Amino acid sequence: MEIGFPEYSQSFLEGQDVLYKQFNDIDFYVEDEYQENFYYIILKKLFPDINFSKIFPLGGKYNVIKNAKNTIGDKKKVYIVDKDFDDLLNKKENLENLFYLKQYSVENYLLEANPIIEIVMEERPKFQRSEIDQKFILGDFLTECKNLFLEIIPCYIVIQKYELGIPNVDLSQDRYCILNLNAEIKKTELESYKETIRLALEDKHEKVSFMRELDYYKEYFKNGDFLNHIPGKYIIKFLGIRISQLFNFPSINFNSLAYRLSKLCTLTSLLFLKSAITGFLS
């Protein structure tokens, strides 16, 4: 048990679809437990004409891919996974029933200006839309995210690439960042983290230069879309802090903010996923 939620066994997670055969025309499988409501809203928006009453989190990407491999040819089962860093690390699986997001995670697709404005107005109804537009500019905020997290994400990639066993993406983003109106890196903490990575890499792969690896990914991201490789949870959590500080209301819990955004977003940026899955089902 954790904070009052029951922990389901893996066999339960993998077998629960049997209970919903009469309610689901298509079974959708995703990674994360305890976010069923969030994913359900998104998939219902993308597939309003498909009847399904439940989606099935399988407790991690490994389990989703394993199940996808075991049900090749079954057109009633669709598996969706986050991209994470799989494109950079050459870990993507090519299966007809497995669909990768193009950005790091599904939360990355919730960054639309109008829904953010609506949430601010819900919290502070006296603000005019024009006032919010002037004080919070989504494009500027995303540029700030890129500049801030460019110092951290390459560290995570090196850790995963060389399997160093050091905590990375699951760390809170404020571990190495001060997330106020003048957000900045905690330089001392980040340098200590980098030194830990450098020593671990030197011990395991003595011919690999940590600084050269970092420089490579920093340069790579400068020429590409870095936003696609920032964990969406980092951006959404930062967004919650930023708008609460700008408009003077209590910070919104990450899960609550993501859920509210999913209800308000158009999700047009996910139409590629709808198209790919529709093609598979036809």
Side-chain angles (χ1 to χ4, degrees):
M1 295 282 287
E2 182 180 352
I3 60 170
F5 291 105
E7 293 185 1
Y8 297 117
S9 68
Q10 193 56 47
S11 60
F12 173 82
L13 292 174
E14 295 181 4
Q16 59 184 325
D17 54 351
V18 175
L19 303 173
Y20 288 85
K21 280 188 175 181
Q22 61 181 315
F23 305 110
N24 285 7
D25 292 341
I26 300 295
D27 292 332
F28 291 98
Y29 301 87
V30 297
E31 296 181 44
D32 295 340
E33 266 184 277
Y34 311 129
Q35 291 202 23
E36 294 179 34
N37 292 334
F38 169 63
Y39 281 105
Y40 182 81
I41 287 173
I42 290 174
L43 291 172
K44 272 295 183 184
K45 280 191 175 185
L46 291 178
F47 301 99
D49 299 325
I50 294 178
N51 293 319
F52 61 97
S53 61
K54 182 177 174 62
I55 57 97
F56 305 103
L58 293 178
K61 180 180 289 183
Y62 172 83
N63 296 323
V64 176
I65 293 175
K66 181 187 74 171
N67 278 263
K69 289 179 177 179
N70 290 336
T71 58
I72 293 289
D74 188 339
K75 292 283 188 175
K76 286 196 64 175
K77 297 184 182 296
V78 171
Y79 299 84
I80 302 169
V81 292
D82 294 339
K83 179 176 70 65
D84 300 325
F85 301 133
D86 289 5
D87 55 336
L88 300 177
L89 302 178
N90 296 316
K91 289 185 175 181
K92 290 180 73 173
E93 297 274 358
N94 185 20
L95 304 171
E96 65 173 4
N97 56 348
L98 179 67
F99 300 88
Y100 281 84
L101 300 178
K102 292 182 178 180
Q103 298 194 46
Y104 185 93
S105 65
V106 70
E107 290 89 355
N108 293 66
Y109 293 92
L110 302 179
L111 298 165
E112 297 180 14
N114 284 334
I116 296 170
I117 292 172
E118 287 296 324
I119 288 174
V120 173
M121 292 179 70
E122 288 174 2
E123 297 291 335
R124 285 289 180 262
K126 291 185 178 180
F127 272 100
Q128 298 297 314
R129 182 175 291 270
S130 58
E131 293 180 84
I132 300 171
D133 263 335
Q134 289 177 353
K135 293 188 73 172
F136 179 82
I137 300 172
L138 180 58
D140 291 349
F141 171 74
L142 294 178
T143 297
E144 188 177 358
C145 288
K146 292 177 183 179
N147 295 334
L148 186 67
F149 296 126
L150 184 60
E151 293 297 316
I152 301 170
I153 301 305
C155 293
Y156 295 168
I157 296 170
V158 173
I159 290 170
Q160 293 190 21
K161 180 178 180 179
Y162 293 100
E163 299 179 345
L164 300 181
I166 298 171
N168 49 93
V169 173
D170 288 337
L171 294 171
S172 174
Q173 79 274 37
D174 57 9
R175 179 78 171 264
Y176 302 110
C177 300
I178 299 172
L179 299 175
N180 54 25
L181 293 177
N182 298 300
E184 60 183 334
I185 289 291
K186 297 178 181 177
K187 293 182 180 179
T188 301
E189 288 85 345
L190 183 58
E191 287 306 312
S192 177
Y193 185 56
K194 286 181 177 179
E195 182 63 9
T196 300
I197 301 168
R198 186 190 69 78
L199 292 173
L201 182 60
E202 186 179 85
D203 183 60
K204 194 169 185 178
H205 302 279
E206 60 181 18
K207 294 184 179 180
V208 179
S209 166
F210 175 56
M211 292 310 299
R212 191 177 301 121
E213 289 285 307
L214 284 189
D215 290 342
Y216 169 79
Y217 285 112
K218 284 185 181 180
E219 193 61 33
Y220 175 87
F221 287 135
K222 285 179 182 177
N223 298 322
D225 191 352
F226 179 48
L227 197 64
N228 289 345
H229 292 89
I230 302 175
K233 290 181 179 179
Y234 276 28
I235 303 175
I236 299 297
K237 286 181 179 179
F238 186 16
L239 173 65
I241 294 169
R242 173 55 54 83
I243 59 176
S244 69
Q245 291 177 337
L246 275 177
F247 301 102
N248 193 28
F249 58 80
S251 183
I252 306 173
N253 171 274
F254 161 74
N255 288 322
S256 175
L257 181 56
Y259 182 77
R260 290 166 70 178
L261 286 171
S262 68
K263 291 172 68 177
L264 294 167
C265 282
T266 64
L267 299 178
T268 54
S269 56
L270 277 173
L271 289 179
F272 77 92
L273 180 65
K274 177 178 181 177
S275 176
I277 292 175
T278 301
F280 165 72
L281 295 175
S282 62

